[in-house]
Every structure is written in C-alpha cells, then in structure tokens.
Amino acid sequence: MNVEIVKTPAAMRALSDGWRAAGKRIAFVPTMGYLHEGHVSLLDEGRRRGDILVLSIFVNPTQFGPKEDLSRYPRDLDGDLSKAARAGVDVAYVPDAASMYPAGYQTFVEVEELQKPLCGASRPGHFRGVATVVLKLFHAVQPHVALFGRKDYQQLQVLTRMARDLDLGVEVVGLPIVREADGLAMSSRNAYLSDDERLRALALSRALLSARVSFEQGERDAGRLVDCARQTLHLTPGVRLDYLELRDAESLAELHGRVARPAVMAIAAFVGPTRLIDNQLLAP
Ligand code: AMP
C-alpha cells in the first residue's frame, strides 16, 4: 500500500482532525529520515498501539548548531517511503523548513533543567530546537501516543517532561536501543563512517558493556563504574571522548558514591569528524 505524503502543518492538522472526529487512535513516530531498523522498531510498536500510524521526516534546522552537519545530514526520501510502506505507515508528514519556520518565527520551548547536562552542554540550543519542533509536530499530528528511542536518552527525558509539564495529553513511550550484530547502536550518522572508523566506533558500546558487566558483578560505586568504561574506551585509538557520565535515569542529576537507584551511563564521542552517542541503563 502507498503511503500518503503530507507537506504542510495545516494539511496534516486537517487530516488528524478527521481521524480524531472518527474516534481513531493516532500513533506517531517523529524522525529525521534515513530510516534504519531502530526507526522501524518504533513504527512497528506504533502500528500495534494506534489505528492510524503517522511518520514524520524533518531534518530540523533549529536543533543543529552553526558548525554541525545540517547541510550534509543523510537523506533518502524514496528509500524511507518504501520502508514506511512495509511498516504499515498511513501518512508520512514531510514538511519543509519554510512551512515549519516561516519568516519572523520566534517562539521556542525550553525544558530548563533536563536540557542542561550531557548533549545539552556540548550542543547549546539543541534541546530547545528538539522540544520546539516536537511540540509543533504534535500540534499538527495530534497523536494519542508518540514513540521515541532510548538511543537518544536525554531527548526522551526532555520530551516526557515537556508532555507532562504542558499537559499535552500525548503518551510518550520510550523503546530499547536497536544495535547492529556487533553492538554498534544504529544511527543515521553511521553512514558517515569509513570502514576504519566503523571499527573504532565499537569502542562506545564496548565501554558501556564493560560497565554493565561490572555492575552485574556487583560494582555499585559510580566513580569505579565510569573508570571501567573509560579504560575500555581508551583501548581504541582515534576516538575522542566528548563526555562519559553516570547520571540518575530520570532526573539526569549527577551521581556520586553508591548507585542505589536506576542510573544511565551516557557517552558521546567523536570518531573522526562524526559525533556518536550511546547509553546503557544500570538498574539495581
Ligand atoms: P532520528 O531520526 O535520529 O532523529 O531518530 C528518530 C527516532 O528514532 C528517535 O526517537 C530516536 O531515538 C530513534 N532511534 C534512533 N536510533 C535508534 C536506535 N538505534 N534504536 C532505537 N531507536 C532509535
């Protein structure tokens, strides 16, 4: 079956008004396209949870810094639409930047505390862009449930908080990280990696795995868990660490001493010019 393509917020909203009036449950998966199996896992769960499944593809300029990869972010609309059709997507919402941010645009949403650490510290303004675009997408699609990957763990926490704080009435669901057979977290940005960089990129998941193994063997000291991951990471040359931190899984507050509540170990690192992220939940 063909996927219907919708290009403007007004047209999207008119469709979702109709579905809502007919009592349909709308499931929504926002993406930046260049779909891989991680995205497909979200679509599959969306198909199970909604009568109508909407996918959005929008490379959102307001979440990229001036020196980031906006202009060369990988795109493949035709490939994405075939994957979407196979996953049972009803509508692909593919707005352009001009309809999302018309001249004079100046309204933004900020999730004040959760946006600060980790990726927020290295990418100033990133989560302001993410929260704003997702709120705009929610207003157009009017979903009952929206599905996000835990790959972008901080993003999931930011959006869960936003939905709660602004009474959006959207259930925000987080799903597990989908990995390649060798452990690399799937990401559209993996397309940037040369063969050599692709091998080095395994340092991230290996570092997290070593911390997880240590945690499962009973290690509960936050500093020693971070050291364990850092040592594993440094076994691979050519990987430049941006951050490696253990934080409270919900508030993202810094953790010191003994891990007594669910925690997340989050990592960001440059492999060549490509910045990759990954994370691992550690739950006592
Ligand atoms: P993106 O297109 O990178 O903005 O991602 C769109 C959605 O897919 C976000 O909710 C991501 O967290 C999710 N996602 C990306 N990679 C993965 C992955 N490897 N496993 C699960 N979800 C993912």
Side-chain angles (χ1 to χ4, degrees):
M1 229 186 48
N2 267 345
V3 177
E4 181 178 354
I5 300 175
V6 175
K7 291 199 164 168
T8 65
M12 186 65 242
R13 199 176 168 100
L15 267 181
S16 53
D17 280 345
W19 294 326
R20 286 228 164 210
K24 304 284 191 199
R25 188 173 164 79
I26 306 170
F28 178 40
V29 176
T31 77
M32 298 204 298
Y34 211 74
L35 301 186
H36 50 66
E37 283 170 50
H39 297 117
V40 173
S41 74
L42 306 183
L43 293 172
D44 289 344
E45 184 63 18
R47 190 63 281 172
R48 284 189 282 274
R49 286 175 181 250
D51 305 311
I52 301 283
L53 177 58
V54 180
L55 159 74
S56 68
I57 300 175
F58 181 59
V59 183
N60 172 38
T62 66
Q63 72 189 66
F64 286 78
K67 293 187 182 143
E68 292 181 355
D69 56 343
L70 172 64
S71 60
R72 61 188 202 102
Y73 194 84
R75 290 161 211 250
D76 175 18
L77 186 58
D78 290 343
D80 289 349
L81 291 174
S82 346
K83 286 173 194 153
R86 282 200 294 278
V89 168
D90 296 293
V91 164
Y93 178 35
V94 191
D96 59 24
S99 67
M100 290 294 273
Y101 300 109
Y105 189 91
Q106 54 188 288
T107 306
F108 290 88
V109 192
E110 303 210 23
V111 181
E112 292 190 352
E113 293 306 317
L114 286 168
Q115 73 179 0
K116 280 182 188 159
L118 305 172
C119 285
S122 359
R123 304 182 70 189
H126 172 66
F127 288 114
R128 172 184 190 256
V130 168
T132 301
V133 78
V134 169
L135 184 63
K136 284 172 64 69
L137 294 168
F138 279 5
H139 278 132
V141 175
Q142 303 182 74
H144 296 83
V145 57
L147 303 110
F148 296 88
R150 289 206 281 266
K151 160 83 182 347
D152 300 271
Y153 190 86
Q154 186 176 13
Q155 167 175 284
L156 174 63
Q157 296 310 117
V158 164
L159 297 175
T160 301
R161 190 74 242 176
M162 176 181 78
R164 197 181 299 160
D165 288 354
L166 298 182
D167 310 309
L168 298 184
V170 180
E171 183 190 357
V172 172
V173 174
L175 296 177
I177 302 175
V178 176
R179 297 178 179 281
E180 304 283 358
D182 60 8
L184 180 69
M186 289 193 186
S187 164
S188 307
R189 288 191 169 95
N190 292 348
Y192 297 145
L193 302 172
S194 68
D195 290 349
D196 175 63
E197 289 165 349
R198 171 69 183 72
L199 281 175
R200 293 180 200 281
L202 286 175
L204 282 80
S205 53
R206 280 203 201 109
L208 295 173
L209 181 63
S210 66
R212 191 181 99 191
V213 168
S214 169
F215 185 82
E216 281 166 358
Q217 287 169 352
E219 180 61 77
R220 289 292 180 272
D221 183 76
R224 281 201 292 272
L225 287 163
V226 171
D227 283 345
C228 169
R230 197 182 302 271
Q231 278 162 22
T232 307
L233 191 92
H234 286 151
L235 295 176
T236 309
V239 178
R240 184 164 62 83
L241 195 56
D242 177 3
Y243 64 73
L244 171 59
E245 293 185 42
L246 188 64
R247 287 182 173 259
D248 182 272
E250 202 181 330
S251 69
L252 301 183
E254 269 179 285
L255 281 182
H256 301 285
R258 205 180 150 71
V259 180
R261 287 169 37 80
V264 61
M265 183 169 285
I267 185 169
F270 287 90
V271 181
T274 305
R275 185 174 177 279
L276 300 174
I277 59 171
D278 198 349
N279 68 83
Q280 172 72 56
L281 280 168
L282 300 175

